[in-house]
Amino acid sequence: MTNILTTTAALLLTASTASAVGLDRSGQSIGAIFEDGDYAELSFGYVMPEVSGNDVAAFGGSASGNVANDYSQVGMAYKHQYSDAFSAAVIFDQPYGADISYPVGGSAALGGTVADLSSNAVSVIGRYELPSNISFHGGLRVQSIKADVTLGGLAYAGLNGYNVKLDDSTGAGYLIGAAYERPDIALRVALTYFSEIEHTFDVTESSPLGTNGSTTKVTTPAAINLDFQTGVAANTLVFGSIRWAEYSTVILSPDDFAGLTGGSSLTDIDDGFAYTLGVGRKFSDVFSGQVSVGYDETGDDLVSPLAPTNGNYSLSVGGAYQLGNGVELSGGIRYVWLGDAMPETGTPDVARANFTDNHAVAIGLKVAYNF
């Protein structure tokens, strides 16, 4: 029961949206390390957000149009059981992202603002199981990030048209954690800490100061994941997760931007929590299903135009089908109600637009193989 249900749960947790905590997309799941025996998986998600609003009256109240672009997510994992006590896994994910574009000719306040950030990460994780049902896991995490940001619209005043390109940078950190399991009741509680990772970017800025090159340091957030599951009745499993990420340490302030703004940061993201709770049910030897709800906590209503939502609620449904010979196909869909927010551009901190009644739809598909 445990494997057929938790694979579906993990799939839908990775079908995240840009509205999750900070810039989170994958949630940094390490679920593959807990699979039985040797194991491999390939997952794909596609997210379709609809995020729009209107300028405040001071800028004419014009409509922004949809500012959030569709995006895809890919994940892969391979786990090998070396002995009864020791196993290791290699996991690929895309942990952070942003794909925001305010159409020119829409919002007078913010039209032309663009944020394009992408990332890839590879984790190499070892796990050692003790006879007492306690295990420890840890390993190395290497990630690469690149970004391109343009500030556009009348609300940016003298910074209207500012652009910064951050060339691809690679950095390394670690993860460490522990888990407690009771296989007889499908119980598992796993706690994992992800270290912050420092990047040094080569940057090119275009601003009223001209076009200049330099370097800047950015630290991706430390995070903690708590994942749990337990059987509550025959063929029925309750599962959930809590994630905390320390986004207040993410500061992007290249030289020219810092000089023009008195040291401000292009990013202004609060630390945050995300919660998921669901129920899985095995309906037959080959088919199981699940339903889950999610909540990402809200913060200040005044937000960056580069992330114009504030928390969310979500509902996910999905299923998993055993194809035989250790192959499983699972998929699901997630609907997200995005929280209302008011983009602001700083100095002073006042709303430039109102974004309300927005949503996103995410679909996911995963193929897994136990051998």
Side-chain angles (χ1 to χ4, degrees):
M1 177 182 71
T2 304
N3 287 344
I4 194 169
L5 293 177
T6 55
T7 51
T8 308
L11 170 69
L12 292 176
L13 290 175
T14 59
S16 182
T17 72
S19 65
V21 178
L23 300 171
D24 277 8
R25 283 193 171 172
S26 73
Q28 297 178 301
S29 172
I30 63 165
I33 194 67
F34 297 105
E35 292 289 340
D36 294 333
D38 294 338
Y39 174 82
E41 69 175 42
L42 173 65
S43 62
F44 174 80
Y46 192 75
V47 183
M48 297 161 283
E50 291 285 340
V51 180
S52 63
N54 292 84
D55 292 350
V56 296
F59 290 98
S62 55
S64 69
N66 185 25
V67 305
N69 299 318
D70 297 355
Y71 64 88
S72 60
Q73 286 281 103
V74 175
M76 293 178 282
Y78 170 74
K79 179 248 179 179
H80 183 70
Q81 190 74 40
Y82 288 94
S83 69
D84 289 343
F86 181 74
S87 59
V90 179
I91 299 174
F92 170 84
D93 70 330
Q94 297 174 306
Y96 313 112
D99 199 345
I100 296 293
S101 179
Y102 288 73
V104 175
S107 166
L110 299 167
T113 297
V114 176
D116 183 5
L117 181 149
S118 60
S119 66
N120 296 300
V122 175
S123 300
V124 180
I125 307 169
R127 179 177 181 236
Y128 188 79
E129 301 176 58
L130 301 175
S132 58
N133 294 332
I134 295 174
S135 64
F136 297 93
H137 55 271
L140 178 68
R141 187 168 177 86
V142 178
Q143 65 182 205
S144 65
I145 298 177
K146 62 181 179 180
D148 191 333
V149 177
T150 299
L151 306 181
L154 300 178
Y156 281 108
L159 285 173
N160 184 4
Y162 170 87
N163 172 263
V164 59
K165 292 181 173 64
L166 288 77
D167 292 343
D168 202 325
S169 169
T170 300
Y174 66 90
L175 62 93
I176 189 169
Y180 176 75
E181 296 179 278
R182 283 274 308 276
D184 55 320
I185 57 172
L187 171 67
R188 180 195 303 136
V189 180
L191 183 68
T192 307
Y193 171 80
F194 299 86
S195 73
E196 63 183 27
I197 297 178
E198 184 177 275
H199 291 263
T200 300
F201 292 97
D202 291 326
V203 303
T204 302
E205 294 179 90
S206 298
S207 74
L209 301 178
T211 299
N212 298 303
S214 62
T215 62
T216 192
K217 293 184 182 295
V218 179
T219 300
T220 59
I224 298 173
N225 286 0
L226 175 64
D227 301 291
F228 57 91
Q229 65 173 55
T230 186
V232 294
N235 298 320
T236 303
L237 189 79
V238 170
F239 61 88
S241 67
I242 301 172
R243 175 173 169 82
W244 171 82
E246 191 180 18
Y247 271 97
S248 59
T249 62
V250 181
I251 304 298
L252 174 56
S253 187
D255 290 349
D256 287 357
F257 183 82
L260 290 165
T261 62
S264 295
S265 172
L266 280 160
T267 55
D268 182 15
I269 307 173
D270 295 331
D271 301 344
F273 284 88
Y275 307 88
T276 303
L277 183 64
V279 178
R281 174 75 178 176
K282 182 177 179 181
F283 295 101
S284 71
D285 290 340
V286 297
F287 179 74
S288 63
Q290 69 92 26
V291 60
S292 64
V293 294
Y295 169 64
D296 290 1
E297 67 177 0
T298 58
D300 192 330
D301 286 340
L302 292 173
V303 300
S304 167
L306 307 180
T309 62
N310 186 11
N312 69 69
Y313 295 89
S314 64
L315 175 66
S316 303
V317 294
Y321 187 80
Q322 298 284 347
L323 300 177
N325 298 318
V327 179
E328 179 186 86
L329 179 66
S330 56
I333 186 169
R334 183 181 190 188
Y335 188 90
V336 186
W337 293 267
L338 302 174
D340 298 345
M342 295 181 291
E344 56 91 11
T345 55
T347 59
D349 291 332
V350 296
R352 309 300 191 180
N354 290 297
F355 279 66
T356 59
D357 300 325
N358 292 303
H359 69 275
V361 177
I363 57 175
L365 181 69
K366 181 168 70 173
V367 178
Y369 179 44
N370 282 97
F371 55 99

